[in-house]
Amino acid sequence: MELSLDHPLYGIQARAIGRTCHTDDILYQLRDHPIAEFAVVHLTFRGRPESDPQWPSVILYRDLEHWVTQRMLRDSAGYEIDQSNQAA
């Protein structure tokens, strides 16, 4: 809904499979993308296509292992720190 014609994911079939609990980032599994199987997209929730194709922002991951090592582990560590700080 937010993708402009020039967005890197425009026309790519995607299925939401996860969401961070502390940001608006959604993990999508992509179908038939030439270089990536997964993407993390930071949605804008405007409900219409963005005029700037850099939004919603997207980071592509070639496979699940790439996403886990480059994103999930870092996000998990940040979440744990946030939870520790809130408990203190």
Side-chain angles (χ1 to χ4, degrees), residues 19-59:
R19 179 178 182 177
T20 60
C21 56
H22 58 287
T23 67
D24 293 332
D25 293 348
I26 310 294
L27 175 64
Y28 287 92
Q29 186 171 23
L30 307 177
R31 185 171 181 193
D32 299 327
H33 191 278
I35 62 170
E37 186 178 348
F38 296 92
V40 172
V41 179
H42 183 79
L43 298 175
T44 62
F45 296 103
R46 292 188 66 189
R48 62 181 190 272
E50 294 288 342
S51 59
D52 185 341
Q54 78 175 11
W55 294 104
S57 65
V58 61
I59 301 172

Side-chain angles (χ1 to χ4, degrees), residues 62-73:
R62 67 180 168 273
D63 54 32
L64 192 58
E65 181 180 355
H66 185 218
W67 172 75
V68 167
T69 59
Q70 299 298 309
R71 183 65 182 253
M72 188 195 82
L73 295 175

